[in-house]
Amino acid sequence: MNVIRTFEDYQEQYKKSIEHPENFWSEVAGNFYWRKKWDKVLEWDFHKPEVKWFQGAKLNITENCLDRHLTKHANQTAIIWEPNNPDDDAKHITYQQLFEEVCKTANMLKANGVKKGDRVCIYLPMIPELAYAVLACARIGAVHSVVFAGFSAKSVADRVQDAGCNIVITSDGAHRGEKTINLKGIIDQAMESCPGVSCVIVKEYLKSGVPMKTGRDVYWHDEIQKVNADCPAEEMDAEDMLFILYTSGSTGKPKGMVHTCGGYMVYTNYTFKTAFQYHEGHVYWCTADIGWITGHSYILYGPLSAGATTVMFEGIPSWPDWGRFWQAIERHKVNIFYTAPTAIRSLQQAPLSFVEKYDLSSLKVLGSVGEPINEEAWNWYDKNIGKGKCPIIDTWWQTETGGFMITPIANVTKLKPAHATLPLPGVQPAVMNESGLEIEGNNIEGRLTIKFPWPSMARTIYGDHQRFKETYFSSFPGKYFTGDGCKRDNDGYYRITGRVDDIIIVSGHNLGTAEIESAIDEHANVIETAVVGFPHDIKGQGIYAFVICYEKPTEEEKLRVEIKDTVSKIIGPIAKPDKIQFVSGLPKTRSGKIMRRILRKVAEGDTGNLGDTTTLLDPAVVDEIKAGAL
Ligand code: WT7
């Protein structure tokens, strides 16, 4: 039921999901194990805002991700763990083994005082214990707050304090390519401002001999020995909290997005199976870190609840060389591969021989997430990785949405490069103009909102419902505002044009940064671009482009003219950049997003105070960019 195999199926299911959302979702939800079924499918009010799915239902998500697969698939691989160093062995963890590890870990947490509803901070590298810890929390009804293990001590401390965690799980270190990172050192520093934390569980991984604080720190291997693998799942309400995940946003303190058990489970499972057209036996690999929502929803909960084999990769795409992803695809015969445009663009720069060395014939479906994928990267991915026969699933969604919203369905939706295409069943987009009215019809452009709830939407910002309301439900009362701009073309296809805060208004025309960037990237010598606006006497705003080239331009002026011509041809003369600065890198956050705030300051000529740059991947590029400002 609710299976989509053709475009007609999609249209039929979509229609049903809009006309009878409660019937539609209760049918989808019928595919899970509930201790008790719901009394009411949906109750909602976007003005409060309040959203409740499957009220009255009782479940534990781990029974759906683990227990229910044991009858038929106990010996099937649940997780393939691919280590940082390709010379080390991969681990194949079966559903039976994963179940036992999760139960033991859950008992270890209980033995260290964790109770239902407690918040647990997890600061671990991409090792199997990270998956065990996340699922162990879910098993006993504790709320996990995974903090990406690349964040600074201050970032961890802010998140631990905000969530009121009293326990932290970390390791004595992490690999990152050829480097190691002392995670425990970062936690020790963070804990100086987190007196509420009474226990730190340390997984000994690098065996680096970190100092342990008596009375607070315990070793995972000591604690796990004291418990058995018998851990009945805690019975949860559908609307009980499952996890908190912090998302930075461009300004202000991070927002702890709250996701709940029932709706999140139903939606991540449904969207995983539908968009990727997952079939039993497929090997699936999402390259994200579990520290982001992509890892939560599409490395762990979605694939595991579907009984899939999911790859968990500890390493980075560039080490020991640029063939690392392709080597792992060959090694594990990956069928579905899901990565980010930022990774694709960096891999695109390496000689093709790194791709050609490996057998990628197992691939059936490719995915992309995190930002709009520019056409050049799309074509490169399609041609060299998919060999022209794998659909590219460009999934538009957000930490706040919990799961895919607008995305092609593999082999069902006709693709258009750089377009996220069509909403999944249950998703009701509304494009709004600046005066707050919905723009009907096609061939239009505006701000993207969603006018009806979907099961995995965030329910609140932890501890700050008012901020939740102001951020997402106030710009367009009665609708969820995504913060993104979009176009809807004559086929009804959506193209995300970037964050509306980044929109540039040139002579009264709205221009999305993503679209201009994608056009500039079409030039043969351009790898990646970031554009921002700057004050312009005549046009209101001018366009300033920061451009990374394959080869350092010898004649910069000539290249500038060519780039402007390229943009003119693709979008029109209005979008031609006024200034083009060639750079060797761009300021990016650790999840790969360009920090346009910094570039805007440079473009405005205001480089005195660039604000906080500590969360940047490579703060050094900022100095180069400042020095070369036009
Ligand atoms: C923002 C959400 C969703 C998980 C990873 C990022 C941008 C994301 C796409 C896409 C165009 C995209 C949007 C969105 N974005 N995917 N396929 N096409 N834009 O999660 O950090 O919460 O960021 O990323 O601007 O609002 P996030």
Side-chain angles (χ1 to χ4, degrees):
M1 234 193 296
N2 310 106
V3 175
I4 296 177
R5 295 286 179 246
T6 64
F7 196 68
E8 291 66 45
D9 292 347
Y10 162 73
Q11 288 173 311
E12 193 184 303
Q13 296 287 323
Y14 189 77
K15 189 159 177 270
K16 184 166 156 188
S17 77
I18 305 306
E19 286 171 1
H20 306 286
E22 301 200 13
N23 291 353
F24 178 83
W25 287 113
S26 69
E27 272 175 36
V28 175
N31 300 323
F32 295 84
Y33 171 64
W34 303 87
R35 297 260 185 108
K36 175 184 170 287
K37 287 265 163 85
W38 48 92
D39 305 315
K40 193 162 188 212
V41 180
L42 172 64
E43 194 175 298
W44 69 291
D45 177 353
F46 273 178
H47 291 281
K48 281 187 179 169
E50 183 181 80
V51 172
K52 291 179 179 165
W53 283 92
F54 308 115
Q55 259 187 97
K58 305 275 186 197
L59 78 155
N60 186 290
I61 195 167
T62 69
E63 287 185 328
N64 286 278
C65 291
L66 302 170
D67 306 54
R68 69 168 171 157
H69 304 314
L70 298 184
T71 35
K72 281 199 202 134
H73 299 291
N75 297 322
Q76 185 203 312
T77 303
I79 296 178
I80 299 177
W81 179 73
E82 172 67 20
N84 178 57
N85 188 334
D87 295 334
D88 294 340
D89 288 335
K91 272 196 188 119
H92 290 251
I93 303 157
T94 65
Y95 272 97
Q96 181 68 39
Q97 289 165 334
L98 182 60
F99 169 75
E100 284 166 21
E101 294 294 345
V102 169
C103 287
K104 277 198 280 182
T105 308
N107 281 336
M108 170 177 84
L109 294 180
K110 280 203 269 189
N112 280 279
V114 180
K115 299 177 305 299
K116 180 175 181 172
D118 287 355
R119 277 83 54 219
V120 176
C121 172
I122 304 178
Y123 188 70
L124 282 171
M126 283 285 282
I127 56 176
E129 284 73 13
L130 170 53
Y132 306 159
V134 165
L135 296 167
C137 288
R139 186 94 183 155
I140 61 176
V143 176
H144 53 78
S145 166
V146 181
V147 177
F148 172 61
F151 274 127
S152 65
K154 176 161 188 316
S155 304
V156 184
D158 288 348
R159 287 159 175 74
V160 165
Q161 290 163 4
D162 186 79
C165 301
N166 46 28
I167 183 163
V168 176
I169 309 176
T170 189
S171 74
D172 63 351
H175 292 294
R176 193 170 169 80
E178 56 190 350
K179 290 192 275 226
T180 58
I181 304 167
N182 179 3
L183 296 186
K184 176 63 166 50
I186 296 169
I187 288 296
D188 286 341
Q189 204 188 329
M191 292 304 103
E192 284 169 20
S193 56
C194 300
V197 173
S198 55
C199 175
V200 176
I201 300 183
V202 183
K203 164 71 192 170
E204 197 174 42
Y205 181 54
L206 299 185
K207 309 222 166 18
S208 53
V210 294
M212 297 286 280
K213 185 170 170 187
T214 321
R216 186 193 71 184
D217 301 349
V218 293
Y219 274 119
W220 181 300
H221 60 258
D222 289 334
E223 297 307 294
I224 206 93
Q225 266 180 19
K226 301 176 189 163
V227 297
N228 62 26
D230 178 17
C231 182
E234 187 74 35
E235 188 167 283
M236 306 296 285
D237 284 330
E239 282 296 335
D240 278 342
M241 249 194 279
L242 175 62
F243 65 86
I244 302 171
L245 185 62
Y246 286 86
T247 180
S248 341
S250 46
T251 48
K253 81 181 223 282
K255 301 181 285 246
M257 303 316 304
V258 170
H259 285 282
T260 55
C261 297
Y264 179 81
M265 170 180 79
V266 170
Y267 197 78
T268 53
N269 175 282
Y270 173 75
T271 52
F272 169 73
K273 292 196 297 199
T274 303
F276 290 126
Q277 290 288 294
Y278 167 77
H279 283 80
E280 211 177 300
H282 277 163
V283 176
Y284 162 84
W285 180 15
C286 163
T287 68
D289 192 285
I290 289 174
W292 312 122
I293 190 72
T294 312
H296 281 57
S297 302
Y298 299 108
I299 295 178
L300 295 180
Y301 289 113
L304 293 175
S305 65
T309 297
T310 174
V311 177
M312 183 175 170
F313 177 46
E314 185 192 17
I316 54 174
S318 55
W319 189 83
D321 63 41
W322 290 101
R324 190 67 181 97
F325 275 0
W326 323 129
Q327 175 188 42
I329 289 175
E330 175 184 280
R331 186 172 282 174
H332 301 299
K333 300 197 170 48
V334 171
N335 305 116
I336 306 172
F337 178 69
Y338 184 35
T339 194
T342 174
I344 298 168
R345 280 190 300 263
S346 64
L347 292 160
Q348 206 182 319
Q349 294 171 60
L352 259 188
S353 54
F354 285 110
V355 178
E356 288 159 352
K357 269 208 325 232
Y358 299 102
D359 176 6
L360 304 182
S361 61
S362 56
L363 289 174
K364 292 177 195 294
V365 175
L366 301 175
S368 169
V369 61
E371 57 182 307
I373 176 168
N374 53 295
E375 278 181 64
E376 203 195 13
W378 198 100
N379 287 322
W380 185 89
Y381 196 28
D382 174 47
K383 177 166 171 238
N384 299 295
I385 307 307
K387 316 287 181 198
K389 59 180 179 51
C390 303
I392 297 176
I393 305 310
D394 180 0
T395 60
W396 174 81
W397 59 298
Q398 311 177 297
T399 305
E400 295 84 342
T401 70
F404 304 155
M405 301 292 283
I406 301 183
T407 177
I409 298 173
N411 302 312
V412 166
T413 312
K414 196 161 163 279
L415 304 174
K416 248 184 232 182
H419 289 71
T421 75
L422 297 169
L424 284 174
V427 175
Q428 301 192 32
V431 181
M432 311 297 285
N433 68 18
E434 271 147 68
S435 4
L437 296 174
E438 182 171 354
I439 318 173
E440 309 273 355
N442 287 342
N443 200 8
I444 52 127
E445 175 166 17
R447 282 142 210 257
L448 178 59
T449 67
I450 312 289
K451 59 183 172 190
F452 194 85
W454 63 99
S456 71
M457 63 187 295
R459 302 297 193 258
T460 189
I461 291 174
Y462 188 76
D464 199 346
H465 198 65
Q466 190 53 31
R467 188 175 178 204
F468 183 63
K469 179 173 175 172
E470 280 160 17
T471 312
Y472 304 104
F473 296 89
S474 302
S475 310
F476 302 99
K479 299 193 170 64
Y480 167 79
F481 179 40
T482 65
D484 285 338
C486 75
K487 287 186 163 186
R488 188 164 59 214
D489 73 8
N490 281 326
D491 294 326
Y493 273 35
Y494 290 83
R495 175 178 187 152
I496 308 300
T497 51
R499 308 292 300 167
V500 292
D501 315 338
D502 296 334
I503 275 180
I504 305 172
I505 303 180
V506 179
S507 310
H509 296 272
N510 278 4
L511 296 168
T513 47
E515 220 183 346
I516 307 173
E517 289 161 5
S518 182
I520 297 177
D521 293 347
E522 284 297 296
H523 187 283
N525 192 19
V526 174
I527 300 165
E528 183 163 23
T529 308
V531 306
V532 295
F534 69 96
H536 190 287
D537 289 345
I538 299 159
K539 302 194 270 188
Q541 269 190 308
I543 300 171
Y544 193 124
F546 298 83
V547 174
I548 311 177
C549 294
Y550 283 95
E551 275 164 45
K552 204 177 149 36
T554 42
E555 293 175 82
E556 293 201 350
E557 265 324 301
K558 183 161 168 276
L559 185 55
R560 287 197 177 97
V561 171
E562 288 175 15
I563 289 176
K564 287 182 190 180
D565 285 349
T566 310
V567 176
S568 258
K569 266 191 227 121
I570 299 174
I571 308 178
I574 181 91
K576 273 199 302 199
D578 300 277
K579 295 185 182 179
I580 301 178
Q581 180 182 347
F582 298 105
V583 296
S584 69
L586 291 167
K588 289 199 175 171
T589 65
R590 284 163 202 271
S591 60
K593 289 211 159 67
I594 297 163
M595 265 216 209
R596 287 198 181 68
R597 168 174 67 79
I598 291 174
L599 296 176
R600 232 178 270 131
K601 290 263 188 190
V602 173
E604 285 163 9
D606 173 18
T607 51
N609 177 19
L610 293 180
D612 183 14
T613 53
T614 55
T615 56
L616 284 178
L617 201 56
D618 174 14
V621 296
V622 176
D623 295 327
E624 181 212 301
I625 291 175
K626 274 198 322 202
L630 300 171

